[in-house]
Amino acid sequence: MNFVEELTWRGMINNIMPGTEEQLNKEMTSAYVGIDPTADSLHIGHLVSIMMLKHFQRAGHRPIALIGGATGMIGDPSMKSQERKLIDEDTLRHNQEAIRKQLSHFLDFDSDAPNHAILVNNYDWMKEFSFLNFIRDIGKHITVNYMMAKDSVKKRLAANADHGMSFTEFSYQLLQGYDFLYLYEHEGCRLQMGGSDQWGNITTGTELIRRINGGEAYAITCPLITKADGGKFGKTESGNVWLDPKRTSPYKFYQFWLNVSDADAAKYIKIFTDLPQEEIQALEQEQERDPGLRPLQKRLAKEITTMVHSAQDYEMAVEASQILFSNKAKDILHKIDEDTLLSVFEGVPQFEVSRDALGGGVPAINLLTDDAAVFPSKGEMRKMTQGGGVSINKEKIADPNMTIDASFLLNDKYILAQRGKKNYFLLIAK
């Protein structure tokens, strides 16, 4: 597999330094991507550069994932309007371990293959570096004029004319440049990859390597991912879409990809899966013939949910998606876990009911009027029950006085009540 050709048809190359493809065709090459460790989970904004490393390893090359423990304490000025908060070393190490676990879904770290991935943390080589040694040994090789010419610096200064830019952030590109130099010298790393906003920082690294070692190093950047409507990729009303199931449930994660537009699905399936070109083309043709079936979205959601979580999580997400209109809804409700249940019914009205009362059994008419205001009156509850419009846990009830007890609890905690076709209520036993 030719790595550059693969990334090109997938729409994943924004800039490539001359000589890069020749280097990759010549020999197995090591390349790195930097990852910000300020949280203990990656989010889908990180996935583009991670998929670059995945394709790189598939092409027979050696990926290096660099946790920016030192640079993460400072903050990259690129595309940022404010400086970031510093993190302590204990938090840093915790975040590093969590991120490694997530990366292992994409990269082979543990085999004895010559191109197995490695994880490094720039804090390990920066923490002993004194300020005097750094400015003497590294700073003297790059001029202020060179650093000022970078887009990330110019944009930051223009956007913050009143506050300017701290020396800390101004020095960021030197620190990132030194990372490249360190990996070049200690790991034989010849290539750095990242988003298009990283081009300036990456080329500072290639320049340092040239000036200090007389060596050749290379760069590839990918476009910043946007949505077809111009909105920011990966952001929802509730914030980032995380890879950690505790932060974003597999169901919500699956739903995010399932609900992207046709134009975005056609782009994302190339970037976020390793499906071959012919298979993607066949899916695109299928989508053209019958857009309503949404084969691109369905396959995209399947591939990425399985890769990030598991096949079992994917199947659970598909089943949970059918709860609202499946004739197997009752069975599915009793199978899904608490996080998925809460994700499916996020935003529906909730009522607390007495667990003790449920232990002895409560007539449905009392439960849905006195204990939880699902109905404004018992008369209305009776009338709708007679018309077949009341369900408990997706099963219609025929008798308003039927007994509801603890055996009805989903995940030993919840009862789902339904009034009419679209009004859902979650009763929580406390």
Side-chain angles (χ1 to χ4, degrees):
M1 173 179 137
N2 181 302
F3 177 67
V4 174
E5 283 177 10
E6 184 77 7
L7 256 57
T8 301
W9 78 258
R10 290 183 183 276
M12 293 176 74
I13 292 187
N14 186 74
N15 255 325
I16 181 166
M17 195 172 275
T20 303
E21 192 167 8
E22 290 79 358
Q23 166 63 30
L24 296 177
N25 290 340
K26 184 171 69 176
E27 60 190 352
M28 184 183 85
T29 302
S30 295
Y32 90 93
V33 160
I35 296 166
D36 174 12
T38 47
D40 63 358
S41 174
L42 302 168
H43 54 73
I44 60 174
H46 293 106
L47 280 182
V48 187
S49 51
I50 293 167
M51 288 304 296
M52 289 176 90
L53 287 181
K54 182 175 171 67
H55 293 308
F56 194 68
Q57 191 169 42
R58 284 176 62 225
H61 299 292
R62 179 174 173 249
I64 301 172
L66 178 141
I67 300 291
T71 40
M73 289 181 169
I74 293 169
D76 182 358
S78 308
M79 311 295 282
K80 303 286 191 300
S81 58
Q82 293 182 324
E83 295 196 24
R84 71 181 60 192
K85 293 172 183 166
L86 307 185
I87 56 173
D88 60 63
E89 187 169 358
D90 285 346
T91 305
L92 173 63
R93 296 301 179 193
H94 165 76
N95 293 356
Q96 175 180 334
E97 199 45 48
I99 288 169
R100 186 190 193 283
K101 194 173 169 188
Q102 291 179 342
L103 288 173
S104 66
H105 289 251
F106 300 84
L107 303 172
D108 166 23
F109 285 98
D110 301 317
S111 80
D112 53 6
N115 70 326
H116 71 83
I118 62 168
L119 184 80
V120 295
N121 189 328
N122 62 12
Y123 185 74
D124 293 330
W125 56 81
M126 289 304 305
K127 64 182 175 183
E128 304 300 335
F129 221 142
S130 78
F131 177 71
L132 286 175
N133 286 347
F134 188 80
I135 57 173
R136 183 193 66 190
D137 298 340
I138 306 303
K140 69 179 181 183
H141 294 284
I142 301 291
T143 65
V144 170
N145 307 45
Y146 179 88
M147 294 170 75
M148 292 287 287
K150 298 293 183 183
D151 278 348
S152 59
V153 174
K154 288 196 286 192
K155 283 177 184 170
R156 184 61 185 270
L157 289 173
N160 286 277
D162 295 340
H163 303 291
M165 181 183 195
S166 70
F167 175 75
T168 307
E169 288 208 326
F170 180 61
S171 64
Y172 184 92
Q173 62 174 289
L174 265 187
L175 292 173
Q176 187 169 327
Y178 180 70
D179 286 343
F180 201 172
L181 174 66
Y182 183 93
L183 291 175
Y184 177 88
E185 291 175 344
H186 292 82
E187 296 291 346
C189 181
R190 305 291 297 275
L191 172 64
Q192 185 183 166
M193 302 187 291
S196 57
D197 59 321
Q198 293 295 306
W199 183 255
N201 295 332
I202 295 173
T203 51
T204 298
T206 62
E207 188 66 10
L208 262 181
I209 290 165
R210 188 182 67 78
R211 293 185 183 188
I212 293 177
N213 289 79
E216 285 292 329
Y218 305 95
I220 294 177
T221 59
C222 58
L224 293 178
I225 304 302
T226 54
K227 293 200 297 187
D229 64 6
K232 190 168 182 182
F233 167 73
K235 289 280 186 185
T236 65
E237 285 178 19
S238 52
N240 284 323
V241 178
W242 298 92
L243 273 54
D244 184 338
K246 293 188 194 75
R247 288 173 178 252
T248 300
S249 70
Y251 169 78
K252 269 191 174 175
F253 186 85
Y254 166 78
Q255 285 289 326
F256 173 83
W257 300 102
L258 190 65
N259 290 311
V260 300
S261 70
D262 289 1
D264 286 336
K267 180 165 71 169
Y268 296 165
I269 200 163
K270 294 173 185 164
I271 296 170
F272 298 113
T273 77
D274 49 19
L275 291 175
Q277 192 168 8
E278 308 74 44
E279 202 168 336
I280 290 176
Q281 284 169 345
L283 286 163
E284 286 173 332
Q285 287 161 8
E286 208 181 315
Q287 184 103 352
E288 271 181 42
R289 284 195 300 272
D290 191 346
L293 288 177
R294 309 175 82 241
L296 281 173
Q297 284 94 334
K298 287 176 182 173
R299 190 61 187 278
L300 168 67
K302 177 183 180 178
E303 292 293 321
I304 197 158
T305 304
T306 303
M307 183 160 48
V308 169
H309 297 292
S310 69
Q312 189 180 355
D313 285 321
Y314 159 72
E315 284 157 16
M316 184 68 78
V318 173
E319 286 201 329
S321 303
Q322 297 167 350
I323 283 177
L324 303 185
F325 38 78
S326 166
N327 53 10
K328 296 181 185 171
K330 179 178 59 132
D331 300 329
I332 298 168
L333 264 182
H334 286 276
K335 276 168 53 181
I336 62 173
D337 59 61
E338 182 177 7
D339 286 343
T340 306
L341 178 73
L342 292 175
S343 292
V344 174
F345 294 101
E346 184 178 25
V348 308
Q350 296 183 356
F351 297 103
E352 287 186 10
V353 297
S354 164
R355 181 180 287 275
D356 292 341
L358 285 172
V362 183
I365 193 163
N366 293 351
L367 180 69
L368 301 185
T369 55
D370 299 338
D371 300 326
V374 172
F375 290 91
S377 70
K378 291 181 178 172
E380 191 170 327
M381 194 273 188
R382 282 194 196 94
K383 187 177 173 185
M384 193 168 272
T385 304
Q386 286 164 3
V390 181
S391 297
I392 298 287
N393 295 343
K394 292 300 288 183
E395 194 164 11
K396 288 187 189 300
I397 64 170
D399 177 6
N401 293 302
M402 76 174 283
T403 300
I404 308 295
D405 58 25
S407 68
F408 283 78
L409 290 173
L410 306 168
N411 290 287
D412 194 35
K413 189 174 180 181
Y414 304 98
I415 291 174
L416 180 69
Q418 187 176 353
R419 187 185 78 207
K421 283 188 176 177
K422 296 182 179 175
N423 298 306
Y424 290 93
F425 304 85
L426 209 53
L427 280 49
I428 305 170
K430 291 280 180 86

